[in-house]
Amino acid sequence: MEVEYYKQKFNTDNDLSNSVIISKYRSAADIVNVILPQIISRIVPGASVSELCKYGDQLIFSHTSKVYNKTKVEKGVALPTMICVNHCLQYFSPLPENDVILQHGDLVKVELGVHIDGYTASAAHTTILNPNPQQPIEGRSADAVAAAHFGAEVALRLLKAGNKGSDIVKAVNQVAEAFKCVTVEGSIVQQIRRYVLQAENFAILNQNDGFPDGDFMINSNEVYTVNILMSTGNGLIRESDLKPTIYQRNINEVYNLKLKAARTVFKKITDNYSVFPFSLNSLENTRDRLGIPECVTHGLLRPYYALLENTGQAVVTQFKFTALVGTNGNATRITSSLQLPYVYSELSIPPETDIAKLLASDVKSAKVKSI
């Protein structure tokens, strides 16, 4: 009886025919669509990555505090603001002691996520600090930007009921080949649900992972994030030697913490971040960090190590979006596509190919709202 109740609640909580659920997804996306450009506008030579990440999280809490206030609703950070420079890929939100100061020529990836009542939207964008903005960036950086951008656009067009995840895997890798790039470990088409950033259906785009190639059917009434990372190297990654600054609660583990600092910080994490990842950067009281080690030791928190391109030499780019596959089976992109950096690639997708024809087709994107 109890299992049947939770099954019904699970289905109800994730029913996209419910206008309230759609509204919460889109409200989260509206906030992402406002905040991401604000952060990107501050990506200039001399800017502090640590300060920018902190600023992004503050914006998320500021905007979410203004919506859905008639009833008590959890809301806030679904993914902390992460800013990865050059060959750094993901999960980088440095504390001041490990800060990175941006310079001309840096290739910068920004990723963040917002949730309203557990309904999440996340996005990522790549920009380049061009020392001569009147001239396009050329060479391998341009190739990687084009590969990731068109890879994401192809994935969006194939994200519809009746297609398979493996269709997206094949098409995105064809785009990578056209620009002489490879998909990076961590590139993924991932189904999401309420309070769940990684649901049962997923397609790993880099087959070095050894995971299944996405042999699942996309259905109507589902939500997906598409995270495309492209590299001019071999696509392999490694963990940074830096101590992690991003953590997530492990809801499957229970332990009575001994240290007062650990109990205090764990309560704050539970109250402010629910089940979602957070950055140490956003803990206002630096003393709270003293309680993190005990939480990690006993499995209450799971660390996310910053990820780096394996060789440290390749160019890595990233574009990510969230889309709803509605009851009609078609996908609507709810996180907006931002202006690309000014690049010129000598490579292109041959116009006679199926990929080029697919890219020429129309897709539906939600209108960007001012909030």
Side-chain angles (χ1 to χ4, degrees), residues 43-66:
I43 294 179
V44 295
S48 158
V49 169
S50 178
E51 288 299 318
L52 285 172
C53 289
K54 189 172 182 179
Y55 171 66
D57 288 354
Q58 289 170 345
L59 285 177
I60 292 174
F61 280 117
S62 174
H63 281 287
T64 54
S65 69
K66 300 172 185 176

PDB file of all heavy atoms in Angstrom, residues 43-66:
ATOM      1  N   ILE A  43      32.487  38.807 -16.840  1.00  0.00           N
ATOM      2  CA  ILE A  43      33.677  38.020 -17.169  1.00  0.00           C
ATOM      3  C   ILE A  43      34.592  38.883 -18.031  1.00  0.00           C
ATOM      4  O   ILE A  43      34.445  38.963 -19.253  1.00  0.00           O
ATOM      5  CB  ILE A  43      33.284  36.705 -17.865  1.00  0.00           C
ATOM      6  CG1 ILE A  43      32.516  35.828 -16.876  1.00  0.00           C
ATOM      7  CG2 ILE A  43      34.505  35.973 -18.402  1.00  0.00           C
ATOM      8  CD1 ILE A  43      32.048  34.513 -17.443  1.00  0.00           C
ATOM      9  N   VAL A  44      35.505  39.547 -17.355  1.00  0.00           N
ATOM     10  CA  VAL A  44      36.436  40.472 -18.001  1.00  0.00           C
ATOM     11  C   VAL A  44      37.828  40.235 -17.410  1.00  0.00           C
ATOM     12  O   VAL A  44      37.961  39.650 -16.318  1.00  0.00           O
ATOM     13  CB  VAL A  44      36.011  41.937 -17.765  1.00  0.00           C
ATOM     14  CG1 VAL A  44      34.675  42.240 -18.443  1.00  0.00           C
ATOM     15  CG2 VAL A  44      35.934  42.245 -16.268  1.00  0.00           C
ATOM     16  N   PRO A  45      38.876  40.657 -18.116  1.00  0.00           N
ATOM     17  CA  PRO A  45      40.227  40.518 -17.558  1.00  0.00           C
ATOM     18  C   PRO A  45      40.325  41.194 -16.186  1.00  0.00           C
ATOM     19  O   PRO A  45      39.822  42.298 -15.986  1.00  0.00           O
ATOM     20  CB  PRO A  45      41.103  41.243 -18.594  1.00  0.00           C
ATOM     21  CG  PRO A  45      40.351  41.117 -19.865  1.00  0.00           C
ATOM     22  CD  PRO A  45      38.902  41.215 -19.489  1.00  0.00           C
ATOM     23  N   GLY A  46      40.935  40.496 -15.240  1.00  0.00           N
ATOM     24  CA  GLY A  46      41.079  41.010 -13.885  1.00  0.00           C
ATOM     25  C   GLY A  46      39.986  40.571 -12.932  1.00  0.00           C
ATOM     26  O   GLY A  46      40.090  40.780 -11.720  1.00  0.00           O
ATOM     27  N   ALA A  47      38.919  39.943 -13.449  1.00  0.00           N
ATOM     28  CA  ALA A  47      37.816  39.505 -12.586  1.00  0.00           C
ATOM     29  C   ALA A  47      38.220  38.277 -11.784  1.00  0.00           C
ATOM     30  O   ALA A  47      38.990  37.427 -12.246  1.00  0.00           O
ATOM     31  CB  ALA A  47      36.577  39.196 -13.418  1.00  0.00           C
ATOM     32  N   SER A  48      37.688  38.163 -10.583  1.00  0.00           N
ATOM     33  CA  SER A  48      37.947  37.034  -9.689  1.00  0.00           C
ATOM     34  C   SER A  48      36.896  35.957  -9.900  1.00  0.00           C
ATOM     35  O   SER A  48      35.699  36.217  -9.781  1.00  0.00           O
ATOM     36  CB  SER A  48      37.918  37.517  -8.230  1.00  0.00           C
ATOM     37  OG  SER A  48      37.655  36.448  -7.341  1.00  0.00           O
ATOM     38  N   VAL A  49      37.334  34.745 -10.198  1.00  0.00           N
ATOM     39  CA  VAL A  49      36.401  33.627 -10.374  1.00  0.00           C
ATOM     40  C   VAL A  49      35.678  33.333  -9.071  1.00  0.00           C
ATOM     41  O   VAL A  49      34.467  33.078  -9.053  1.00  0.00           O
ATOM     42  CB  VAL A  49      37.142  32.377 -10.892  1.00  0.00           C
ATOM     43  CG1 VAL A  49      36.242  31.143 -10.827  1.00  0.00           C
ATOM     44  CG2 VAL A  49      37.617  32.602 -12.329  1.00  0.00           C
ATOM     45  N   SER A  50      36.385  33.388  -7.956  1.00  0.00           N
ATOM     46  CA  SER A  50      35.765  33.131  -6.656  1.00  0.00           C
ATOM     47  C   SER A  50      34.638  34.116  -6.385  1.00  0.00           C
ATOM     48  O   SER A  50      33.536  33.730  -5.972  1.00  0.00           O
ATOM     49  CB  SER A  50      36.818  33.220  -5.539  1.00  0.00           C
ATOM     50  OG  SER A  50      36.227  33.014  -4.276  1.00  0.00           O
ATOM     51  N   GLU A  51      34.883  35.392  -6.639  1.00  0.00           N
ATOM     52  CA  GLU A  51      33.868  36.412  -6.405  1.00  0.00           C
ATOM     53  C   GLU A  51      32.697  36.260  -7.367  1.00  0.00           C
ATOM     54  O   GLU A  51      31.542  36.476  -6.987  1.00  0.00           O
ATOM     55  CB  GLU A  51      34.486  37.807  -6.530  1.00  0.00           C
ATOM     56  CG  GLU A  51      35.400  38.192  -5.382  1.00  0.00           C
ATOM     57  CD  GLU A  51      34.678  38.208  -4.041  1.00  0.00           C
ATOM     58  OE1 GLU A  51      33.527  38.713  -3.999  1.00  0.00           O
ATOM     59  OE2 GLU A  51      35.237  37.708  -3.050  1.00  0.00           O
ATOM     60  N   LEU A  52      32.973  35.908  -8.602  1.00  0.00           N
ATOM     61  CA  LEU A  52      31.895  35.727  -9.579  1.00  0.00           C
ATOM     62  C   LEU A  52      30.991  34.557  -9.195  1.00  0.00           C
ATOM     63  O   LEU A  52      29.767  34.630  -9.347  1.00  0.00           O
ATOM     64  CB  LEU A  52      32.482  35.501 -10.970  1.00  0.00           C
ATOM     65  CG  LEU A  52      33.057  36.734 -11.675  1.00  0.00           C
ATOM     66  CD1 LEU A  52      33.784  36.311 -12.958  1.00  0.00           C
ATOM     67  CD2 LEU A  52      31.966  37.736 -11.999  1.00  0.00           C
ATOM     68  N   CYS A  53      31.581  33.466  -8.712  1.00  0.00           N
ATOM     69  CA  CYS A  53      30.779  32.310  -8.282  1.00  0.00           C
ATOM     70  C   CYS A  53      29.896  32.684  -7.092  1.00  0.00           C
ATOM     71  O   CYS A  53      28.704  32.323  -7.046  1.00  0.00           O
ATOM     72  CB  CYS A  53      31.689  31.143  -7.919  1.00  0.00           C
ATOM     73  SG  CYS A  53      32.515  30.368  -9.331  1.00  0.00           S
ATOM     74  N   LYS A  54      30.456  33.401  -6.163  1.00  0.00           N
ATOM     75  CA  LYS A  54      29.700  33.840  -4.988  1.00  0.00           C
ATOM     76  C   LYS A  54      28.566  34.780  -5.410  1.00  0.00           C
ATOM     77  O   LYS A  54      27.437  34.675  -4.924  1.00  0.00           O
ATOM     78  CB  LYS A  54      30.632  34.537  -3.996  1.00  0.00           C
ATOM     79  CG  LYS A  54      30.005  34.832  -2.649  1.00  0.00           C
ATOM     80  CD  LYS A  54      31.057  35.339  -1.668  1.00  0.00           C
ATOM     81  CE  LYS A  54      30.438  35.577  -0.295  1.00  0.00           C
ATOM     82  NZ  LYS A  54      31.455  36.056   0.678  1.00  0.00           N
ATOM     83  N   TYR A  55      28.877  35.674  -6.335  1.00  0.00           N
ATOM     84  CA  TYR A  55      27.880  36.615  -6.852  1.00  0.00           C
ATOM     85  C   TYR A  55      26.731  35.865  -7.533  1.00  0.00           C
ATOM     86  O   TYR A  55      25.552  36.191  -7.336  1.00  0.00           O
ATOM     87  CB  TYR A  55      28.569  37.551  -7.843  1.00  0.00           C
ATOM     88  CG  TYR A  55      27.656  38.447  -8.639  1.00  0.00           C
ATOM     89  CD1 TYR A  55      26.918  39.454  -8.022  1.00  0.00           C
ATOM     90  CD2 TYR A  55      27.553  38.298 -10.027  1.00  0.00           C
ATOM     91  CE1 TYR A  55      26.087  40.283  -8.770  1.00  0.00           C
ATOM     92  CE2 TYR A  55      26.730  39.131 -10.773  1.00  0.00           C
ATOM     93  CZ  TYR A  55      25.998  40.122 -10.150  1.00  0.00           C
ATOM     94  OH  TYR A  55      25.190  40.938 -10.885  1.00  0.00           O
ATOM     95  N   GLY A  56      27.055  34.845  -8.307  1.00  0.00           N
ATOM     96  CA  GLY A  56      26.019  34.076  -8.981  1.00  0.00           C
ATOM     97  C   GLY A  56      25.066  33.403  -8.017  1.00  0.00           C
ATOM     98  O   GLY A  56      23.839  33.448  -8.195  1.00  0.00           O
ATOM     99  N   ASP A  57      25.602  32.797  -6.966  1.00  0.00           N
ATOM    100  CA  ASP A  57      24.746  32.145  -5.970  1.00  0.00           C
ATOM    101  C   ASP A  57      23.883  33.157  -5.229  1.00  0.00           C
ATOM    102  O   ASP A  57      22.718  32.885  -4.904  1.00  0.00           O
ATOM    103  CB  ASP A  57      25.596  31.343  -4.984  1.00  0.00           C
ATOM    104  CG  ASP A  57      26.180  30.090  -5.611  1.00  0.00           C
ATOM    105  OD1 ASP A  57      25.825  29.783  -6.767  1.00  0.00           O
ATOM    106  OD2 ASP A  57      27.002  29.421  -4.946  1.00  0.00           O
ATOM    107  N   GLN A  58      24.445  34.333  -4.952  1.00  0.00           N
ATOM    108  CA  GLN A  58      23.664  35.383  -4.298  1.00  0.00           C
ATOM    109  C   GLN A  58      22.506  35.825  -5.177  1.00  0.00           C
ATOM    110  O   GLN A  58      21.394  36.068  -4.684  1.00  0.00           O
ATOM    111  CB  GLN A  58      24.574  36.580  -3.964  1.00  0.00           C
ATOM    112  CG  GLN A  58      25.557  36.315  -2.836  1.00  0.00           C
ATOM    113  CD  GLN A  58      26.588  37.416  -2.684  1.00  0.00           C
ATOM    114  OE1 GLN A  58      26.779  38.259  -3.570  1.00  0.00           O
ATOM    115  NE2 GLN A  58      27.276  37.436  -1.541  1.00  0.00           N
ATOM    116  N   LEU A  59      22.748  35.921  -6.481  1.00  0.00           N
ATOM    117  CA  LEU A  59      21.676  36.278  -7.408  1.00  0.00           C
ATOM    118  C   LEU A  59      20.569  35.229  -7.415  1.00  0.00           C
ATOM    119  O   LEU A  59      19.378  35.560  -7.464  1.00  0.00           O
ATOM    120  CB  LEU A  59      22.231  36.444  -8.821  1.00  0.00           C
ATOM    121  CG  LEU A  59      23.036  37.704  -9.124  1.00  0.00           C
ATOM    122  CD1 LEU A  59      23.558  37.649 -10.560  1.00  0.00           C
ATOM    123  CD2 LEU A  59      22.197  38.958  -8.919  1.00  0.00           C
ATOM    124  N   ILE A  60      20.961  33.955  -7.374  1.00  0.00           N
ATOM    125  CA  ILE A  60      19.954  32.890  -7.360  1.00  0.00           C
ATOM    126  C   ILE A  60      19.039  33.030  -6.149  1.00  0.00           C
ATOM    127  O   ILE A  60      17.805  32.996  -6.267  1.00  0.00           O
ATOM    128  CB  ILE A  60      20.625  31.499  -7.376  1.00  0.00           C
ATOM    129  CG1 ILE A  60      21.322  31.256  -8.718  1.00  0.00           C
ATOM    130  CG2 ILE A  60      19.572  30.394  -7.128  1.00  0.00           C
ATOM    131  CD1 ILE A  60      22.122  29.966  -8.771  1.00  0.00           C
ATOM    132  N   PHE A  61      19.618  33.202  -4.971  1.00  0.00           N
ATOM    133  CA  PHE A  61      18.797  33.334  -3.763  1.00  0.00           C
ATOM    134  C   PHE A  61      17.972  34.615  -3.784  1.00  0.00           C
ATOM    135  O   PHE A  61      16.820  34.634  -3.331  1.00  0.00           O
ATOM    136  CB  PHE A  61      19.679  33.282  -2.514  1.00  0.00           C
ATOM    137  CG  PHE A  61      20.072  31.894  -2.116  1.00  0.00           C
ATOM    138  CD1 PHE A  61      21.401  31.499  -2.124  1.00  0.00           C
ATOM    139  CD2 PHE A  61      19.118  30.962  -1.737  1.00  0.00           C
ATOM    140  CE1 PHE A  61      21.762  30.220  -1.765  1.00  0.00           C
ATOM    141  CE2 PHE A  61      19.469  29.669  -1.374  1.00  0.00           C
ATOM    142  CZ  PHE A  61      20.795  29.299  -1.388  1.00  0.00           C
ATOM    143  N   SER A  62      18.540  35.680  -4.328  1.00  0.00           N
ATOM    144  CA  SER A  62      17.806  36.942  -4.405  1.00  0.00           C
ATOM    145  C   SER A  62      16.569  36.798  -5.287  1.00  0.00           C
ATOM    146  O   SER A  62      15.466  37.228  -4.909  1.00  0.00           O
ATOM    147  CB  SER A  62      18.724  38.042  -4.954  1.00  0.00           C
ATOM    148  OG  SER A  62      18.001  39.245  -5.164  1.00  0.00           O
ATOM    149  N   HIS A  63      16.723  36.200  -6.449  1.00  0.00           N
ATOM    150  CA  HIS A  63      15.589  36.074  -7.376  1.00  0.00           C
ATOM    151  C   HIS A  63      14.569  35.044  -6.895  1.00  0.00           C
ATOM    152  O   HIS A  63      13.359  35.263  -7.035  1.00  0.00           O
ATOM    153  CB  HIS A  63      16.101  35.701  -8.768  1.00  0.00           C
ATOM    154  CG  HIS A  63      16.668  36.865  -9.533  1.00  0.00           C
ATOM    155  ND1 HIS A  63      15.888  37.858 -10.073  1.00  0.00           N
ATOM    156  CD2 HIS A  63      17.947  37.204  -9.822  1.00  0.00           C
ATOM    157  CE1 HIS A  63      16.647  38.746 -10.677  1.00  0.00           C
ATOM    158  NE2 HIS A  63      17.907  38.380 -10.545  1.00  0.00           N
ATOM    159  N   THR A  64      15.029  33.938  -6.361  1.00  0.00           N
ATOM    160  CA  THR A  64      14.066  32.918  -5.918  1.00  0.00           C
ATOM    161  C   THR A  64      13.290  33.378  -4.687  1.00  0.00           C
ATOM    162  O   THR A  64      12.178  32.907  -4.449  1.00  0.00           O
ATOM    163  CB  THR A  64      14.764  31.575  -5.611  1.00  0.00           C
ATOM    164  OG1 THR A  64      15.835  31.780  -4.679  1.00  0.00           O
ATOM    165  CG2 THR A  64      15.318  30.942  -6.887  1.00  0.00           C
ATOM    166  N   SER A  65      13.854  34.306  -3.919  1.00  0.00           N
ATOM    167  CA  SER A  65      13.152  34.802  -2.726  1.00  0.00           C
ATOM    168  C   SER A  65      11.921  35.637  -3.091  1.00  0.00           C
ATOM    169  O   SER A  65      11.064  35.893  -2.238  1.00  0.00           O
ATOM    170  CB  SER A  65      14.101  35.648  -1.867  1.00  0.00           C
ATOM    171  OG  SER A  65      14.415  36.874  -2.513  1.00  0.00           O
ATOM    172  N   LYS A  66      11.828  36.037  -4.357  1.00  0.00           N
ATOM    173  CA  LYS A  66      10.745  36.928  -4.779  1.00  0.00           C
ATOM    174  C   LYS A  66       9.575  36.186  -5.412  1.00  0.00           C
ATOM    175  O   LYS A  66       8.585  36.818  -5.789  1.00  0.00           O
ATOM    176  CB  LYS A  66      11.299  37.950  -5.778  1.00  0.00           C
ATOM    177  CG  LYS A  66      12.409  38.827  -5.210  1.00  0.00           C
ATOM    178  CD  LYS A  66      13.046  39.685  -6.292  1.00  0.00           C
ATOM    179  CE  LYS A  66      14.232  40.466  -5.745  1.00  0.00           C
ATOM    180  NZ  LYS A  66      14.933  41.234  -6.809  1.00  0.00           N
TER     181      LYS A  66
END
